[in-house]
Amino acid sequence: MQELHDAPLAPLTTFRLGGPATRLITATTDAEVVDAVRAADDSGTPLLIIGGGSNLVIGDKGFDGTALRIATKGFVLDGASLELAAGEIWTDAVARTVEAGLAGLECLAGIPGSAGATPIQNVGAYGQEVSSTITEVVAYDRHSHETVTIPNSECDFSYRHSRFKAEPDRFVVLRVRFGLEEADGLSAPLKYPETARAMGVAEGERVPAAAARETVLRLRAGKGMVLDPEDHDTWSAGSFFTNPILDREQFEAFLARVKDRLGPEVTPPAFPADEGHTKTSAAWLIDRAGFTKGYGTGPARISTKHTLALTNRGAASTEDLLALAREVVAGVHEVFGVTLVNEPVTVGVSL
């Protein structure tokens, strides 16, 4: 277990932002993870868990406590059952399941970060969410001081949310187990219109899983959503805001705003969500509120490839990024009456 003091955290995040941690521990086994968590809890030391750093916004002052970087390894495939250690690189794991001829994760290719973060955020893209394939999550419970196995039914998964996100100071994910599909090398039925169009098939059809993965990688790269150290459009956390989910009253008020601001001929994106709710597009809201691709003049700007990504152009501070985020939130609310919610976890700062 490696230990550093006054350790920079910016290099451990995809934003490349944030000040140092008082102490940084890198754990390579589950036992080391548990020992580090217990030691911090026993001493009352604030604890920050870091995986791939793709969903973190760390304040410029850094973190006054112990940062624990989970770098565990483990890819165990038994038929269609998969177990991943929390520190496994997610996009590499997806590639290996596709190579094995299994379906269920192929449209989640290219998502940065580690496997342990996927159940926390209920990671999803291009019509797939991990909640549809996760069978169990093995985690250390900081309340009961024991390692527990939590079945899918007790993870409380919903759109970009889970029990683990709702109780951020309780569970530390150690392993994630998935039940994939043996489909003779074919993908799961395609659910996302853009993916189906790009592949020239109808929604609901299956295609070679490898082709689906490559198509998703190409679509993501075109939006700056595949990490590239030379491309500042990828110095981001991917989608910075979640797609708003509105109840009936909120949605009717939103439609009235759209009609008033943009005219009766404009129809905003709308997708059924939970009963009585409608999901709309954060990217559409941002763009139509005047925050177009490349918006900004400072070191933090909207991506030139996708309005949903806020980016560090190379010399930004976390405060630069937050100033831009606040401007976008205020602008969208003023125009459409909808409040955007940030998807990345903030550490020592808030919008």
Side-chain angles (χ1 to χ4, degrees):
M1 190 159 54
Q2 183 187 68
E3 181 174 333
L4 300 173
H5 294 269
D6 196 28
L9 296 181
L12 302 182
T13 74
T14 52
F15 266 124
R16 295 166 172 82
L17 295 176
T22 305
R23 182 169 173 249
L24 172 65
I25 293 175
T26 298
T28 57
T29 68
D30 290 355
E32 289 180 352
V33 172
V34 172
D35 286 347
V37 173
R38 282 177 173 163
D41 289 346
D42 289 347
S43 63
T45 302
L47 181 67
L48 171 63
I49 305 295
I50 300 178
S54 61
N55 204 44
L56 279 179
V57 178
I58 299 173
D60 292 319
K61 293 182 179 179
F63 183 71
D64 186 11
T66 296
L68 171 60
R69 178 172 172 261
I70 298 180
T72 53
K73 296 297 179 185
F75 180 102
V76 180
L77 193 58
D78 182 9
S81 298
L82 171 67
E83 180 181 277
L84 294 178
E88 281 289 331
I89 297 172
W90 175 252
T91 193
D92 292 349
V94 171
R96 292 176 70 177
T97 66
V98 171
E99 289 170 1
L102 299 174
L105 302 180
E106 61 281 350
C107 291
L108 301 177
I111 295 175
S114 60
T118 60
I120 298 171
Q121 196 75 4
N122 185 16
V123 164
Y126 295 96
Q128 289 183 344
E129 289 183 330
V130 292
S131 57
S132 65
T133 51
I134 286 176
T135 57
E136 297 176 329
V137 176
V138 180
Y140 176 68
D141 186 340
R142 297 168 70 184
H143 290 186
S144 64
H145 312 293
E146 60 182 347
T147 298
V148 296
T149 300
I150 304 172
N152 180 295
S153 60
E154 296 178 16
C155 291
D156 298 336
F157 288 124
S158 60
Y159 173 64
R160 300 298 176 270
H161 200 69
S162 69
R163 180 181 182 183
F164 311 104
K165 190 173 182 179
E167 301 180 80
D169 296 323
R170 180 171 180 180
F171 297 105
V172 178
V173 176
L174 301 174
R175 304 202 160 248
V176 189
R177 294 172 179 152
F178 300 83
L180 304 179
E181 181 185 4
E182 294 179 339
D184 296 323
L186 295 179
S187 69
L190 298 180
K191 296 180 180 179
Y192 200 71
E194 184 182 13
T195 314
R197 284 196 304 270
M199 301 204 69
V201 300
E203 290 178 52
E205 289 191 31
R206 293 178 184 264
V207 297
R213 174 180 172 270
E214 289 301 320
T215 297
V216 166
L217 287 172
R218 186 174 67 253
L219 292 172
R220 290 184 64 88
K223 300 173 183 178
M225 298 292 184
V226 176
L227 293 180
D228 179 352
E230 302 302 317
D231 183 0
H232 285 287
D233 277 333
T234 73
W235 290 32
S236 75
S239 299
F240 195 87
F241 300 103
T242 57
N243 289 323
I245 296 178
L246 311 175
D247 62 27
R248 287 190 180 92
E249 184 177 347
Q250 291 169 330
F251 187 63
E252 289 301 321
F254 167 56
L255 290 178
R257 290 271 196 136
V258 171
K259 181 179 179 180
D260 180 58
R261 293 278 185 156
L262 304 178
E265 71 283 355
V266 176
T267 302
F271 311 94
D274 296 334
E275 184 177 354
H277 290 76
T278 302
K279 180 166 65 176
T280 191
S281 165
W284 187 92
L285 292 170
I286 293 167
D287 182 74
R288 293 304 183 99
F291 302 100
T292 53
K293 295 175 184 176
Y295 177 88
T297 57
R301 303 178 196 174
I302 290 178
S303 166
T304 66
K305 299 182 180 71
H306 199 297
T307 54
L308 203 48
L310 307 188
T311 68
N312 170 12
R313 307 315 294 183
S317 67
T318 300
E319 279 306 310
D320 292 327
L321 176 75
L322 293 177
L324 175 61
R326 292 172 187 134
E327 183 183 2
V328 171
V329 170
V332 168
H333 188 270
E334 179 182 358
V335 174
F336 295 115
V338 175
T339 301
L340 295 177
V341 177
N342 54 290
E343 185 168 331
V345 175
T346 55
V347 179
V349 291
S350 65
L351 291 190

